[in-house]
Amino acid sequence: PDSFALAIHTPNGLIFETGDFKFDLTPIGPIADIHKMAKFGDEGVTLLLSDSTNALSEGYSKSESSVDGMLNDIISRHPGRVIIANQEDILRDASNAPFELIQRFPTRMYQQDGRWFWDLEQLVHSIIDALNLLAQRKDVHVESIGVDTWGVDVVYLDKDGKPLADARAYRDPYTMERMPEFWNKVPQSRIYEKTGIQMMNFNTIYQFYACAREQYAPFLQAQTYLFMPDYISYVLTGNKICEYTIASTSQLLNPRTHLLDEELVTATGARMECFPPLVNPGHHIGSITHPNIHFNYEVPVIAVAGHDTASAVYTVPRLTADGQHAARGRLFPRAEAADRKQRPPRRLLRGGDERP
């Protein structure tokens, strides 16, 4: 996240404090207010507290914009995975259960007309190929399949259930300017009070608003919104759901009501009726019906904690009945029930903090 600075006026003088920073004249996102900092310098600073990586090295750091393309190339080739595990091993000790990797595959991102998208066709084909490898195994009987992915991004479907376009990628900065604009409609304090989610520009709430403001056709024409894991489950089964933990990454879910918040959804320009019914982890979505997946027996698809880090945190062993976990980086969940096997799904997780 971008660093912030504080100018603190005290009876003994001005204290200026900033986190790790660099001056970048062509950043990705807002530029630092150098003139305002110079004004504080003219006033006189009694105590300067600052940190800047490589400040003692000669020369200049590269601009963020110069490495953007390289990072996008690396990130777009970050592999997805299909893995299998034994149910008995998971029930015995989920954190140490052995897993077998069936196949790795890229999650490709591409740019078109100044926008960044996920390649849905490549992603689906890779999953189908991996499942067919499993279908050929004589030593494995698949009891069920669950899907988790990254959060916030949405696939827009038409009235026939077909994607109107590839899903826009949360690494696209198209929401940056729209976020403060949206706060004029709904204040930050009210958004946080309703959702408990950190203000991050790529949250679904700002993606929806940005799409509405730019009159993005797939968003305007959509009859159904599906988060990424729900879309993959839909491709496998033909059934549409909105899983609770993945919905919590949107900054549209109210953890008190356990429902999507109509005020926030409507303020973005989105429509409540486009969301499928909310379901909890453990919900039976359906069985695989995709014509190109060739199991010779019925394979159910079960809603797991669809947000990838939520599923990861679920495997973390707890030392006490009311223990809590803090996971830095992608999600800050809260485990509330006393027993893992009896944990109520609707109270499994209370929101998240999705980060790049």
Side-chain angles (χ1 to χ4, degrees):
D2 294 334
S3 60
F4 290 85
L6 298 175
I8 306 170
H9 292 274
T10 76
N12 296 319
L14 178 63
I15 300 174
F16 191 82
E17 189 275 335
T18 178
D20 190 16
F21 74 94
K22 71 174 180 180
F23 292 117
D24 191 339
L25 300 181
T26 57
I28 300 172
I31 192 170
D33 193 341
I34 300 173
H35 300 293
K36 191 171 185 178
M37 285 184 271
K39 179 183 176 182
F40 289 127
D42 292 339
E43 291 180 17
V45 175
T46 302
L47 176 62
L48 172 65
L49 301 170
S50 66
D51 177 27
S52 184
T53 304
N54 296 324
L56 299 180
S57 301
E58 295 184 3
Y60 297 90
S61 299
K62 289 184 177 180
S63 169
E64 290 177 349
S65 58
S66 70
V67 298
D68 186 39
M70 178 182 67
L71 286 175
N72 280 322
D73 180 61
I74 293 171
I75 292 165
S76 67
R77 291 185 282 106
H78 185 75
R81 290 171 290 178
V82 171
I83 60 175
I84 60 173
N86 185 284
Q87 182 179 5
E88 292 182 1
D89 291 331
I90 293 174
L91 291 176
R92 186 182 307 112
D93 185 358
S95 61
N96 293 309
F99 295 92
E100 180 183 347
L101 175 65
I102 300 301
Q103 182 168 294
R104 285 184 177 270
F105 51 86
T107 49
R108 193 177 81 87
M109 187 170 59
Y110 67 92
Q111 190 174 31
Q112 179 177 312
D113 299 327
R115 302 182 176 118
W116 285 95
F117 299 89
W118 296 108
D119 188 338
L120 294 181
E121 183 176 4
Q122 175 269 324
L123 180 63
V124 168
H125 283 174
S126 297
I127 292 172
I128 290 173
D129 289 345
L131 292 177
N132 280 326
L133 288 177
L134 265 179
Q136 298 168 16
R137 293 273 295 267
K138 303 300 183 184
D139 60 327
V140 172
H141 183 89
V142 178
E143 296 289 342
S144 65
I145 288 175
V147 181
D148 67 52
T149 73
W150 61 95
V152 306
D153 290 338
V154 174
V155 181
Y156 302 119
L157 303 185
D158 64 15
K159 61 182 177 60
D160 298 318
K162 305 295 184 184
L164 288 159
D166 280 336
R168 296 186 72 165
Y170 71 90
R171 298 182 185 280
D172 188 328
Y174 73 108
T175 58
M176 290 293 294
E177 295 180 359
R178 298 303 184 190
M179 183 166 65
E181 186 179 306
F182 184 77
W183 295 337
N184 292 327
K185 298 187 67 174
V186 186
Q188 295 182 63
S189 58
R190 184 158 180 79
I191 298 171
Y192 189 80
E193 178 187 4
K194 283 176 167 285
T195 68
I197 301 297
Q198 183 178 350
M199 308 293 159
M200 304 295 281
N201 69 284
F202 44 71
N203 291 346
T204 316
I205 189 172
Y206 306 117
Q207 292 201 43
F208 280 171
Y209 182 68
C211 285
R213 293 287 283 115
E214 71 178 45
Q215 295 289 286
Y216 180 57
F219 172 76
L220 299 178
Q221 298 166 11
Q223 298 300 304
T224 306
Y225 310 140
L226 291 181
F227 292 101
M228 291 300 294
D230 301 333
Y231 172 70
I232 295 170
S233 295
Y234 166 66
V235 169
L236 297 179
T237 67
N239 296 327
K240 303 169 187 173
I241 63 160
C242 183
E243 189 275 321
Y244 188 88
T245 69
I246 199 70
S248 77
T249 69
S250 67
Q251 205 167 21
L252 293 167
L253 186 92
N254 188 321
R256 295 185 179 89
T257 64
H258 305 289
L259 297 171
L260 292 163
D261 190 273
E262 186 168 3
E263 178 192 355
L264 295 180
V265 171
T266 303
T268 67
R271 290 168 288 147
M272 287 289 291
E273 64 268 22
C274 291
F275 288 99
L278 273 171
V279 304
N280 294 302
H283 174 81
H284 184 281
I285 302 172
S287 296
I288 289 181
T289 58
H290 194 287
N292 295 329
I293 301 176
H294 305 299
F295 286 95
N296 59 9
Y297 53 90
E298 185 174 333
V299 179
V301 177
I302 307 297
V304 296
H307 188 206
D308 48 11
T309 315
S311 274
V313 167
Y314 184 73
T315 68
V316 176
R318 298 210 310 278
L319 299 179
T320 61
D322 59 350
Q324 296 189 20
H325 304 300
R328 182 180 180 184
R330 294 180 74 94
L331 178 73
F332 293 88
R334 178 179 173 186
E336 296 186 310
D339 182 80
R340 181 182 300 276
K341 295 180 183 178
Q342 298 176 3
R343 180 181 299 173
R346 69 180 298 181
R347 295 175 64 82
L348 177 63
L349 295 175
R350 289 294 186 90
D353 172 12
E354 180 76 16
R355 304 166 88 89

